[in-house]
Amino acid sequence: MGAITQTMTQFVEVHPELKYVFFGGKGGVGKTIMAGAAALWFAQQGKKTLLASTNPVHSLTNLLKQDVFGKSVLIDGGEGCYALEIDTKDTIERSKTEIREKISWFLKFADIAVQAEEFVESATMNPAFEESAMFENMLDLIFQDEYEIYVFDTAPTANARRLLGMSKVYSLWVEKMIKSREEAGILRKKLSYSRRREEKDPLMDYLLKFKDRMADARVLLTQPQTTAFFFVTLPESLPIAVITRFIQWFHEFGIPVGGVIVNGLIQKETVTNDAPEFVLNRIKMQQEHMEKIWQIFGERVRSVVPLFETEVQGSVMLKKTAEFLFA
Ligand SMILES: Nc1ncnc2c1ncn2[C@@H]1O[C@H](COP(=O)(O)OP(=O)(O)OP(=O)(O)O)[C@@H](O)[C@H]1O
Ligand SMILES: [Mg+2]
């Protein structure tokens, strides 16, 4: 049986500048409760903390039994911790409006006589657009810089990776756009196409600003002093496989992995031999998967959180969870 070499608490101690904490993993493994527990713990340490969800389902509102949708709210009994569920719909609408303006402007600039609407539709009617809007939202929060610690409950899908890859893709795209804009500008001048002299180019300004923002975001998300992604798994094969892949991807992207949290382990000492067979089988199965977990993740394991008798809701249960998370 393996053992934890660096606990969550020790990890935080050796990362005193830690500011952006993320929880990822397969659907339903306990990402939201871990994010909640961690946020309350940081607040207990006296840090001004925000627990934020970029998840399209209303997970925090349900976890806290408080409406935290679209505005940051103090958590009841939460040691001064704030929670916020990002209103994705609102962001998407805003992004659409922005894109519509930019595209219309560009089409006019380039003397192209088509309806902007078609372009807007194709730019916004894809699944990546929603994620990109959520990513933008997260960056807005980060750049407002009102908190000492940000704990993010990220979307459960494999797309967490896309979310992060996004900043890279954006930068490439923007660089390409800027280049072709520059070329178009030179061409216009050469042809004296329009007699108008050097005019302001809002699209170019926007692209340049956007590029800087993405570059800042990338620096921020890849700094091991400030940023850590924690991966939650159950002692079961599928969640283990999912985070094994995630960790590999994150390595490739140069994104700091803080460690692995094992959740939902049945406490053997609470179970007697006359327990129903399915319980005994479940324990045996968990033991086997625990061995795999130690093998695969080894010293990356930060904590093992037991399976509680009830589901985790509200600040009292979250603090109890935090005691295990930061044991
Ligand atoms: N250790 C535990 N003991 C008891 N219940 C738990 C435990 N961990 C999680 N749960 C419960 O399991 C459910 C799923 O947890 P949670 O919502 O945190 O998962 P998630 O990974 O965020 O899910 P999703 O992928 O849907 O966002 C919740 O009802 C939660 O209260
Ligand atoms: Mg969740």
Side-chain angles (χ1 to χ4, degrees), residues 7 41 44 71 74 89 91 130 143 149 165-166 190 234 263 268 276 278 282 294 296 311:
T7 63
W41 185 86
Q44 267 176 332
K71 55 188 187 298
L74 265 174
K89 234 178 162 178
T91 320
E130 186 170 319
F143 290 135
I149 302 267
M166 200 89 78
K190 265 197 193 147
L234 303 174
N263 184 29
K268 264 193 306 191
F278 82 89
R282 192 118 202 124
W294 293 116
I296 302 173
E311 59 176 355

Side-chain angles (χ1 to χ4, degrees), residues 8-9 11-13 15-23 34-51 78-82 148-152 226 228 230 319 322 325-326:
M8 200 70 172
T9 315
F11 180 90
V12 173
E13 272 166 14
H15 292 83
E17 289 171 60
L18 191 65
K19 188 161 181 181
Y20 311 105
V21 179
F22 295 81
F23 287 89
M34 295 304 170
L40 289 196
W41 185 86
F42 282 115
Q44 267 176 332
Q45 315 302 305
K47 302 263 190 187
K48 189 179 179 196
T49 305
L50 178 70
L51 166 64
E79 317 286 334
C81 185
Y82 290 83
E148 290 171 277
I149 302 267
Y150 293 81
V151 181
F152 288 100
T226 55
F230 292 95
K319 281 185 219 168
L325 183 58
F326 290 88

Side-chain angles (χ1 to χ4, degrees), residues 37-327:
L40 289 196
W41 185 86
F42 282 115
Q44 267 176 332
Q45 315 302 305
K47 302 263 190 187
K48 189 179 179 196
T49 305
L50 178 70
L51 166 64
S53 172
T54 55
N55 210 328
V57 290
H58 291 214
S59 49
L60 294 186
T61 293
N62 182 52
L63 176 75
L64 304 167
K65 294 189 248 162
Q66 260 177 285
D67 182 11
V68 300
F69 189 66
K71 55 188 187 298
S72 56
V73 170
L74 265 174
I75 299 175
D76 293 337
E79 317 286 334
C81 185
Y82 290 83
L84 163 68
E85 201 139 41
I86 294 171
D87 182 352
T88 338
K89 234 178 162 178
D90 184 56
T91 320
I92 290 174
E93 282 315 311
R94 255 189 297 131
S95 304
K96 272 194 185 166
T97 310
E98 247 181 52
I99 286 183
R100 183 170 291 119
E101 281 167 16
K102 302 274 156 20
I103 291 180
S104 304
W105 189 90
F106 176 77
L107 294 177
K108 220 170 105 207
F109 171 89
D111 290 328
I112 301 172
V114 267
Q115 284 295 310
E117 212 47 42
E118 278 175 46
F119 282 85
V120 175
E121 280 301 302
S122 66
T124 55
M125 287 295 284
N126 66 70
F129 184 75
E130 186 170 319
E131 278 165 56
S132 133
M134 293 194 309
F135 187 70
E136 279 289 293
N137 242 326
M138 194 184 86
L139 292 183
D140 278 344
L141 269 183
I142 285 178
F143 290 135
Q144 280 163 17
D145 203 18
E146 287 173 15
Y147 297 87
E148 290 171 277
I149 302 267
Y150 293 81
V151 181
F152 288 100
D153 170 25
T154 53
T157 58
N159 302 341
R161 163 199 178 221
R162 220 167 45 200
L163 199 78
L164 296 155
M166 200 89 78
S167 68
K168 215 171 195 168
V169 175
Y170 266 148
S171 304
L172 286 174
W173 176 74
V174 169
E175 261 161 43
K176 227 174 156 178
M177 285 293 279
I178 289 173
K179 211 165 151 242
S180 54
R181 297 284 297 146
E182 275 168 0
E183 282 166 9
I186 292 167
L187 203 64
R188 264 163 83 92
K189 252 192 242 157
K190 265 197 193 147
L191 293 171
S192 301
Y193 200 116
S194 96
R195 292 271 151 76
R196 283 169 285 170
R197 280 194 302 144
E198 226 25 43
E199 56 187 307
K200 240 183 99 50
D201 181 344
L203 188 60
M204 188 65 141
D205 288 349
Y206 170 78
L207 290 175
L208 286 171
K209 250 193 229 131
F210 195 67
K211 190 178 170 232
D212 285 346
R213 203 171 131 89
M214 281 300 143
D216 289 348
R218 201 135 53 117
V219 169
L220 225 136
L221 289 178
T222 52
Q223 272 175 344
Q225 312 92 279
T226 55
T227 305
F229 280 77
F230 292 95
F231 292 99
V232 185
T233 188
L234 303 174
E236 288 173 24
S237 55
L238 221 49
I240 295 174
V242 166
I243 70 164
T244 306
R245 230 176 324 142
F246 273 10
I247 291 174
Q248 182 59 37
W249 283 336
F250 276 51
H251 262 300
E252 286 163 17
F253 275 114
I255 295 158
V257 174
V260 170
I261 314 296
V262 183
N263 184 29
L265 187 70
I266 300 171
Q267 287 177 303
K268 264 193 306 191
E269 32 323 332
T270 63
V271 179
T272 50
N273 280 334
D274 56 358
E277 201 171 323
F278 82 89
V279 177
L280 298 174
N281 281 344
R282 192 118 202 124
I283 291 173
K284 195 163 154 270
M285 179 204 81
Q286 286 199 339
Q287 286 325 119
E288 285 163 18
H289 288 301
M290 280 312 291
E291 269 164 42
K292 271 229 189 81
I293 285 173
W294 293 116
Q295 251 173 42
I296 302 173
F297 307 116
E299 54 184 33
R300 281 231 173 90
V301 178
R302 300 276 166 261
S303 39
V304 178
V305 178
L307 180 69
F308 299 114
E309 288 147 37
T310 63
E311 59 176 355
V312 181
Q313 256 186 341
S315 55
V316 173
M317 266 304 267
L318 283 175
K319 281 185 219 168
K320 188 175 162 196
T321 308
E323 281 171 26
F324 289 96
L325 183 58
F326 290 88

